[in-house]
Amino acid sequence: MTVALMAFAACTLEAQPMFSEHHGLYDVDRLDVSVTPTDATAEVRYTTDGSEPTAQSSLYTEPLQLTQTTILRAVEVKDGAVTSVSATASYIFIASVLSQPNNPEGYPSTWGQYTQIEGTAVADYEMDPEMTNDATLRPKIIEGLKQLPILSVVSDKGNFFSHENNEETGGIYIYTGPPVGDPTGNGWTRPCSAELFGGPQNHDMSINCGIKLHGGHGRLAEKNPKHSMRLVFKKKYGPSELEYNLFGDGEPNKFGQLVLRCHFGNAWQHWLGSNRDKAQYTRDVWARRMQRKMGHTSVNALYVHLFLNGMYWGIYNIAERVDDQYGKDHLGGKKSDIDVVKIEEEGGNHIEASEGSLDAWNKMVTAVDEATTAEDYQRVTELLDIDNFIDYMLINQYAGNTDWDYHNWYAIRSNAKNAPGFRFLCWDSELIFDNDSENVLTKNSGKESPTGIFNRLLKHPQFASRYLARAKEVLAKDGLLGKQSVVEVWDSLYNSISSALYCEAARWGDYRRDVPNGYGYASTVYTVDGQYAKERKRLKNLYFPLRTQKVLNQITAYVPEPTGIHSVSADHRDSGKYYTLQGIEVEHPTNGVYIRNGKKVIVR
């Protein structure tokens, strides 16, 4: 079968070579690949080291016999000039992955300078032979490679690993541009090819785009050797957007950017042993999935195996970038209607509108800060989606999120007519599910933070009553944050990566034991059947069974039931003119509050 590998997502009309074999994961000894130009009068020039082919690259004359992982990139050339866009096909050989060395040809032995301690990061490329050669683990690793789709990102090796300090040619994995210390490399974007293939979803996508590093302290070489990245779709690199059904039917299928989350907190490569011991790779996605399960907008996620220039880099999570395209897709309206507010870590943690402006945000914060009457509170409800906010807070309170909310959150709003107020999105919730007695209710990071807004709103009986009623509902034994519901989401995520975790362990489980890293050495290799299984058992047996009731007890102790307030939920509303509350008939209110027979009724 002859296949063109520039994504149908790209919708380009430009010529490009065609490959006889599809990109994919191969368990074979040899693969023969033919390359055919779309213009029969053109010749084909190709590379196999990830670099962009030119008119001077190797001339294709006969089918290529591949016996190991090969990144094939090709262009059409006529009269000495390139006449097509480049096409890329990644042929990942399982045997090559299992024998991935620590000294790949042409790659540096060191990465970037440390930022907060002295030293330089020692490079690590190897799949741990202790695991890949183990008779029990080897078949598990092979099975794990097949469990997830593969995202293959390909670029000239210098774009990733060049030590040249140059904003055009320097390697983004060397100059990481961290939010503290030397900012060199901040924002550097390099051209690349991105292919997504295989997995249970049978993905098949390929596109030329840009790539840059993403995140905050996860870009510090001493803290994390496995960096998060971001794919950028711009005409400078290829199509101006990716149009592809990435997250399933009914979900957005157009993207200007995508985040490749590496799993930094509570992961095996983390700089702190206390983090490494708790690695599960499902915490952050659990928060986003739980937000969706509770009926709200959330950020989509897709687990993948990431390969850089054919080298296995571990389990990553493709996430939507919260930007104006995300807002348009999830909230409606136009891109120009969208405001996205977040904490920006670079230059010191501060509120920033990454899309739109802070005008509506400032109005909301001021309304919360100055509200004293029921009418003032009603104004707040027009600027803040109260139902979303309450559930967002309950998710983070249940999870005991300790790396929040001085950062790691997004708020988004459409300024289109009749659009709801600001909605908060769970994001980067990696440091959760630690202590089953963790209490974050008293946290208050200032009036512009979610916790600050929450504590101010608790002064209003309308909000306090509504919050308490929802807490009792979702933290009930059969509630959405009850043990059964929480574990259903948790186990569904584990089941989706249960085999792939063996690949992650072989790639990064030995890093802190074997690689000099400035923080001393771990005493052990981290494994699925060892530390991972122990932490999973703790959560299943000791955390989830206890957490729901403990959080409910914390809430009822912290938020007294407002005196004389009765709450009517939507489930108890009559279809006619009146509500019935404990035998008392009350008229439909216009502002959420109605007094009947001397009793104040809050309708939510």
Side-chain angles (χ1 to χ4, degrees):
M1 178 175 63
T2 300
V3 182
L5 286 184
M6 181 59 133
F8 47 85
C11 299
T12 178
L13 297 178
E14 298 179 83
Q16 61 180 161
M18 312 283 282
F19 303 106
S20 62
E21 299 294 336
H22 218 44
H23 52 191
L25 179 69
Y26 286 90
D27 192 6
V28 298
D29 295 325
R30 177 177 136 177
L31 187 69
D32 294 341
V33 180
S34 300
V35 188
T36 306
T38 52
D39 181 351
T41 65
E43 62 185 18
V44 171
R45 298 281 178 165
Y46 71 95
T47 63
T48 58
D49 63 354
S51 61
E52 181 79 13
T54 68
Q56 287 73 46
S57 297
S58 298
L59 175 66
Y60 172 83
T61 58
E62 60 183 359
L64 304 175
Q65 297 179 356
L66 311 183
T67 59
Q68 61 185 356
T69 291
T70 302
I71 305 301
L72 182 57
R73 309 190 77 184
V75 291
E76 297 180 22
V77 175
K78 195 171 182 178
D79 299 327
V82 173
T83 58
S84 74
V85 295
S86 62
T88 304
S90 297
Y91 303 106
I92 308 296
F93 281 47
I94 289 177
S96 293
V97 179
L98 295 173
S99 60
Q100 186 170 304
N102 205 32
N103 56 345
E105 184 178 355
Y107 288 83
S109 60
T110 60
W111 290 343
Q113 292 287 320
Y114 294 152
T115 299
Q116 296 183 319
I117 60 176
E118 294 294 326
T120 303
V122 175
D124 181 67
Y125 306 98
E126 185 181 59
M127 290 290 278
D128 183 3
E130 292 178 66
M131 297 190 193
T132 59
N133 293 331
D134 183 276
T136 300
L137 294 178
R138 187 179 181 92
K140 293 182 179 181
I141 296 169
I142 293 173
E143 183 62 29
L145 286 170
K146 301 174 182 178
Q147 186 179 28
L148 298 179
I150 285 176
L151 176 66
S152 177
V153 177
V154 175
S155 189
D156 186 289
K157 62 174 67 77
N159 287 332
F160 290 125
F161 299 109
S162 171
H163 279 267
E164 183 179 5
N165 189 342
N166 183 293
E167 64 180 19
E168 298 295 331
T169 60
I172 61 174
Y173 226 85
I174 307 302
Y175 301 100
T176 62
V180 294
D182 185 355
T184 302
N186 191 344
W188 288 2
T189 306
R190 299 291 180 256
C192 72
S193 165
E195 303 163 76
L196 182 68
F197 50 81
Q201 309 90 338
N202 196 27
H203 280 290
D204 183 11
M205 182 276 290
S206 180
I207 193 169
N208 289 332
C209 58
I211 189 167
K212 62 193 298 186
L213 289 199
H214 174 88
H217 279 245
R219 302 207 305 269
L220 273 65
E222 67 269 29
K223 289 189 173 182
N224 180 35
K226 180 191 175 192
H227 301 305
S228 291
M229 291 172 258
R230 197 188 312 171
L231 297 180
V232 180
F233 306 102
K234 290 184 177 181
K235 288 184 178 179
K236 178 179 180 180
Y237 308 109
S240 58
E241 65 180 9
L242 170 66
E243 185 174 353
Y244 179 74
N245 187 8
L246 186 63
F247 299 111
D249 295 337
E251 296 299 329
N253 62 359
K254 293 182 180 180
F255 310 97
Q257 302 181 74
L258 289 168
V259 179
L260 311 182
R261 293 185 54 81
C262 71
H263 308 284
F264 171 38
N266 285 333
W268 286 321
Q269 81 282 355
H270 194 274
W271 60 301
L272 291 177
S274 57
N275 262 248
R276 299 193 294 270
D277 289 339
K278 294 183 175 67
Q280 293 288 288
Y281 300 92
T282 47
R283 285 175 166 88
D284 175 54
V285 184
W286 175 89
R288 290 187 262 156
R289 292 282 172 85
M290 183 55 67
Q291 191 166 35
R292 180 69 62 94
K293 187 174 183 177
M294 293 176 77
H296 304 288
T297 303
S298 69
V299 180
N300 277 305
L302 176 67
Y303 283 106
V304 297
H305 287 304
L306 178 66
F307 283 76
L308 293 183
N309 281 2
M311 294 180 290
Y312 181 60
W313 222 253
I315 295 177
Y316 276 68
N317 179 256
I318 302 179
E320 293 175 281
R321 173 70 171 161
V322 182
D323 54 17
D324 52 2
Q325 180 68 53
Y326 175 94
K328 176 179 180 294
D329 290 337
H330 289 272
L331 304 183
K334 305 186 294 291
K335 286 185 179 181
S336 58
D337 293 326
I338 303 302
D339 292 331
V340 175
V341 179
K342 66 171 187 174
I343 293 287
E344 176 55 56
E345 295 184 48
E346 293 171 5
N349 287 6
H350 60 279
I351 296 286
E352 175 184 280
S354 56
E355 303 286 356
S357 75
L358 289 173
D359 294 345
W361 173 263
N362 290 335
K363 288 180 182 178
M364 185 271 289
V365 171
T366 299
V368 170
D369 201 36
E370 296 179 352
T372 58
T373 67
E375 289 73 20
D376 293 338
Y377 174 75
Q378 181 62 28
R379 172 61 177 156
V380 171
T381 66
E382 297 169 2
L383 300 170
L384 175 67
D385 186 326
I386 296 295
D387 289 334
N388 161 271
F389 183 68
I390 287 174
D391 282 357
Y392 170 82
M393 295 303 296
L394 287 168
I395 290 170
N396 285 282
Q397 289 160 358
Y398 172 86
N401 194 343
T402 57
D403 195 27
W404 161 92
D405 64 335
Y406 63 94
H407 67 169
N408 290 341
W409 55 265
Y410 280 101
I412 188 167
R413 171 187 170 93
S414 171
N415 292 304
K417 187 177 180 180
N418 298 322
F422 275 101
R423 297 175 179 177
F424 282 83
L425 300 172
C426 292
W427 182 260
D428 204 359
S429 308
E430 292 178 334
L431 300 187
I432 63 175
F433 300 159
D434 184 4
N435 180 356
D436 63 271
S437 295
E438 189 73 56
N439 189 339
V440 299
L441 285 167
T442 59
K443 180 180 292 214
N444 189 332
S445 299
K447 70 178 184 179
E448 291 197 86
S449 69
T451 52
I453 293 169
F454 170 73
N455 278 285
R456 282 167 173 75
L457 287 178
L458 282 178
K459 299 175 183 178
H460 295 275
Q462 299 97 318
F463 178 84
S465 178
R466 194 165 175 172
Y467 168 75
L468 276 172
R470 181 61 169 169
K472 292 175 181 177
E473 177 186 350
V474 300
L475 291 166
K477 183 177 180 180
D478 59 350
L480 289 168
L481 290 175
K483 175 190 171 184
Q484 180 177 345
S485 174
V486 166
V487 172
E488 281 178 356
V489 176
W490 185 254
D491 281 351
S492 71
L493 296 172
Y494 165 74
N495 291 334
S496 70
I497 62 171
S498 57
S499 296
L501 289 164
Y502 289 94
C503 306
E504 177 73 17
R507 181 64 178 89
W508 296 108
D510 66 340
Y511 178 81
R512 293 293 171 180
R513 186 197 67 174
D514 295 345
V515 180
N517 53 67
Y519 285 106
Y521 290 90
S523 60
T524 184
V525 171
Y526 293 87
T527 66
V528 179
D529 300 320
Q531 297 88 345
Y532 187 97
K534 180 180 178 181
E535 173 66 0
R536 177 167 164 77
K537 182 178 180 180
R538 179 189 76 87
L539 290 166
K540 293 290 291 288
N541 295 341
L542 299 177
Y543 187 94
F544 296 135
L546 302 175
R547 184 60 179 166
T548 299
Q549 187 60 48
K550 286 190 175 184
V551 176
L552 184 56
N553 291 344
Q554 292 170 356
I555 289 172
T556 54
Y558 186 67
V559 186
E561 187 78 51
T563 304
I565 298 292
H566 299 271
S567 176
V568 181
S569 73
D571 292 339
H572 299 114
R573 294 181 182 181
D574 294 340
S575 58
K577 181 180 179 182
Y578 297 99
Y579 296 93
T580 300
L581 175 63
Q582 297 179 347
I584 301 173
E585 225 174 40
V586 296
E587 294 183 37
H588 281 248
T590 58
N591 64 351
V593 180
Y594 194 86
I595 296 177
R596 176 79 172 184
N597 293 344
K599 293 190 176 183
K600 186 181 290 186
V601 177
I602 310 287
V603 178
R604 62 180 176 87

